[in-house]
Amino acid sequence: MKTFYVKTDPKSDGEMMDVSKIIFDNSIPLKDENALQELVNQIGDAKYVLLGEASHGTHEYYKWRTKLSKLLIEKKGFSFIAVEGDWPDCYRLNRYIKNYPDSGKSAHEVLHGFNRWPTWMWANWEIVALAEWLYDYNVKQEEEQKIGFYGLDVYSLWESLEAIVDYLDKNDFATKEVAMKAIKCFEPFKDSEGQEYAKFSRIVPSLCENQVVDLLSQIRLNAPNYNNDPETIMSLKQNAQIVVNAEKYYRAMVIGGPDSWNIRDRHMVLTLNNLMEFHGSQAKTIIWEHNTHIGDARATNMAEEGMVNVGQIIRQQHKAEEVFSVGFGSYKGTVVAGREWGDKMQVMTVPEAKENSWEFELHHLDANDRIIFMNDAMKEIIGKKHFDHRAIGVVYRPQFEYYGNYVPSKMAYRYDAFIYLDETSALHPLHIIPDGNQIPETYPFGV
């Protein structure tokens, strides 16, 4: 075991503290899911539990988030899981796990329809296993107690417009015409995933803004008159909100800076707030997103760049005891990612973490999986120390990792707990050739 030290007072040349001892004293081995019970105890009565990941393509992050989510649902009465995914796709899965009419024959069937790149984030066998567990759990519940599954993201402009038109075609033909005006406005930019719209908005700044705001206003006005189940109406209004915020997001893309990031994360928080309101005063939510979204941005260099994130905003909106965030990370392994945006997915090698990074230091403690609790003792000793902390996105080039895949972080303030996994492996996507319909030997991965 390697020992490393920091000064107890960063402004002085005073006493040095053995950080390895501090971490050992405030962590437990993660040998099996029994260790998660202590984490559940630490979570206490929190209403918002944010579960991160250091990449979007790692099997173990999904596996352990699933195990923890099951415990929170069964023992703490959580109401729904909200993920960094598109609303229309995730809402279809929500309908399946609640056994709505004509909602699909299996989780595999529903998830195979997730066709927006990067498909592997949610169209994978790990989520199939979780969804089938949720389906079985919900079968035994009363309608109002069934667990939901929702997407928080802002990217689904066209899918949300199509869902709106499909609903209005059957229920409100006059408002459908408003929706068709919005579609007509966006039509010339359909094939560019918002990039051409962003460029053209520099010439015509408000471009389609009025059309989407009119659509949202009209749907909100008429929603009380629609004769459908409340969740369908909630989804309709959410799709209209996505269209408005997606238009803002694409306009901000061309400007650069933090604006587009902030629009996206604020949209995700707005969606969470809407879902919590829909589920009632006793609602609790489990949030699955990348570490860069769920870890408090104020404890990273993101704050210096004017960026906020979901973890920060949720903490600012609620009492400290109502929010609990868990970061994830590993020292080495394999991951699913693409080398360019829209590129084919590949299994890539994740190199050993760079020297003096958070993952490097944890590996050299004992090279075992652990749950580290970021309590007052951790804050006092290492709270002011910045560690480089690995962050892998859907686009990844391992050979350049040391130059752009680490976020300087005050770890004891970024998370409430951290799950360290020494070596991790690639996710199991559904959309693979030629064996996309073959269940991997490890299904359902013990989750």
Side-chain angles (χ1 to χ4, degrees):
M1 181 181 74
K2 178 182 177 181
T3 301
F4 66 105
Y5 300 88
V6 295
K7 295 175 184 176
T8 55
D9 181 358
K11 296 181 180 179
S12 75
D13 293 323
E15 180 185 356
M16 303 292 284
M17 177 62 67
D18 179 354
V19 178
S20 62
K21 183 179 186 306
I22 296 298
I23 293 177
F24 265 86
D25 287 348
N26 296 283
S27 66
I28 58 175
L30 180 59
K31 295 180 179 178
D32 54 42
E33 61 186 274
N34 291 329
L36 294 178
Q37 185 56 55
E38 179 57 30
L39 183 54
V40 171
N41 294 342
Q42 294 283 333
I43 287 169
D45 295 325
K47 297 169 61 177
Y48 296 83
V49 174
L50 297 83
L51 306 181
E53 58 181 351
S55 83
H56 287 309
T58 299
H59 162 70
E60 284 78 8
Y61 301 153
Y62 286 71
K63 168 187 170 181
W64 287 105
R65 289 189 300 186
T66 291
K67 288 179 181 294
L68 183 52
S69 296
K70 287 180 181 180
L71 285 174
L72 292 172
I73 289 167
E74 291 177 323
K75 297 189 175 186
K76 295 284 189 176
F78 276 71
S79 315
F80 62 92
I81 298 173
V83 305
E84 188 181 340
D86 292 341
W87 178 273
D89 284 341
C90 293
Y91 187 68
R92 289 200 303 274
L93 187 63
N94 174 71
R95 293 182 63 82
Y96 168 74
I97 64 175
K98 292 181 176 178
N99 198 22
Y100 283 176
D102 302 318
S103 58
K105 297 178 181 178
S106 68
H108 174 272
E109 176 188 291
V110 176
L111 287 162
H112 209 273
F114 283 43
N115 55 15
R116 173 186 292 278
W117 196 92
T119 57
W120 66 85
M121 274 183 64
W122 305 112
N124 58 64
W125 287 104
E126 287 81 352
I127 295 297
V128 169
L130 170 62
E132 293 297 2
W133 183 87
L134 288 168
Y135 179 94
D136 292 340
Y137 180 89
N138 281 340
V139 165
K140 305 166 189 173
Q141 309 302 315
E142 298 294 331
E143 195 67 33
E144 63 276 7
Q145 299 300 319
K146 291 185 177 182
I147 309 304
F149 187 96
Y150 306 96
L152 298 175
D153 228 324
V154 75
Y155 292 135
S156 60
L157 172 66
W158 280 100
E159 293 84 352
S160 290
L161 278 170
E162 289 166 2
I164 290 168
V165 170
D166 183 63
Y167 178 87
L168 295 177
D169 188 54
K170 303 178 182 67
N171 297 278
D172 185 352
F173 200 75
T175 305
K176 178 190 171 184
E177 293 302 310
V178 180
M180 295 306 296
K181 288 179 182 178
I183 287 178
K184 185 177 180 181
C185 185
F186 284 110
E187 191 73 44
F189 316 103
K190 185 174 183 179
D191 297 330
S192 64
E193 287 290 334
Q195 296 177 16
E196 287 302 316
Y197 181 84
K199 292 176 184 177
F200 201 78
S201 70
R202 299 186 72 173
I203 304 170
V204 185
S206 61
L207 204 50
C208 299
E209 181 181 9
N210 293 336
Q211 287 86 338
V212 297
V213 170
D214 287 348
L215 177 59
L216 176 60
S217 299
Q218 201 63 35
I219 286 174
R220 285 177 172 171
L221 179 66
N222 294 339
N225 302 320
Y226 297 146
N227 186 24
N228 291 95
D229 67 88
E231 191 162 30
T232 296
I233 304 305
M234 183 269 290
S235 180
L236 175 69
K237 291 191 287 187
Q238 180 60 31
N239 277 313
Q241 185 67 66
I242 289 166
V243 171
V244 169
N245 288 344
E247 191 275 337
K248 290 180 184 176
Y249 176 84
Y250 291 131
R251 271 193 287 122
M253 277 173 52
V254 76
I255 300 171
D259 287 352
S260 59
W261 173 278
N262 290 345
I263 287 170
R264 184 182 174 211
D265 273 50
R266 287 185 175 121
H267 169 82
M268 290 195 279
V269 173
L270 174 62
T271 304
L272 278 170
N273 292 341
N274 291 340
L275 285 166
M276 291 292 277
E277 181 180 359
F278 177 77
H279 284 84
S281 60
Q282 301 304 308
K284 297 181 178 182
T285 179
I286 304 164
I287 300 156
W288 287 30
E289 295 193 315
H290 198 280
N291 288 339
T292 49
H293 294 293
I294 67 97
D296 195 322
R298 293 170 295 182
T300 75
N301 65 344
M302 296 168 66
E304 299 169 6
E305 299 173 13
M307 300 167 74
V308 297
N309 68 359
V310 172
Q312 173 185 339
I313 300 169
I314 292 293
R315 288 192 180 282
Q316 290 173 325
Q317 289 183 348
H318 301 281
K319 298 176 182 177
E321 63 270 20
E322 293 181 328
V323 183
F324 196 99
S325 63
V326 184
F328 282 72
S330 66
Y331 178 66
K332 65 179 181 178
T334 55
V335 68
V336 174
R339 295 191 180 275
E340 305 287 347
W341 186 266
D343 191 20
K344 67 178 181 179
M345 60 183 146
Q346 302 176 45
V347 175
M348 302 180 189
T349 298
V350 177
E352 296 175 351
K354 74 176 186 178
E355 190 170 355
N356 297 324
S357 67
W358 176 246
E359 293 79 6
F360 175 89
E361 304 294 6
L362 292 177
H363 170 76
H364 284 92
L365 293 180
D366 66 355
N368 289 326
D369 301 347
R370 301 190 73 79
I371 304 175
I372 300 110
F373 299 104
M374 305 300 190
N375 51 28
D376 290 341
M378 291 285 282
K379 289 181 172 67
E380 181 180 354
I381 302 303
I382 66 167
K384 295 180 180 180
K385 178 177 174 58
H386 282 91
F387 294 87
D388 286 339
H389 176 26
R390 177 145 47 195
I392 296 172
V394 292
V395 174
Y396 182 47
R397 301 179 186 91
Q399 68 272 31
F400 301 125
E401 183 192 84
Y402 293 172
Y403 303 103
N405 287 95
Y406 287 84
V407 179
S409 305
K410 296 177 181 177
M411 298 298 295
Y413 285 98
R414 188 170 179 182
Y415 309 109
D416 296 294
F418 189 85
I419 291 181
Y420 171 71
L421 305 163
D422 195 60
E423 184 170 2
T424 50
S425 57
L427 201 61
H428 299 84
L430 297 185
H431 296 102
I432 53 179
I433 299 174
D435 300 319
N437 293 318
Q438 293 186 17
I439 298 177
E441 291 179 4
T442 53
Y443 176 85
F445 317 112
V447 299

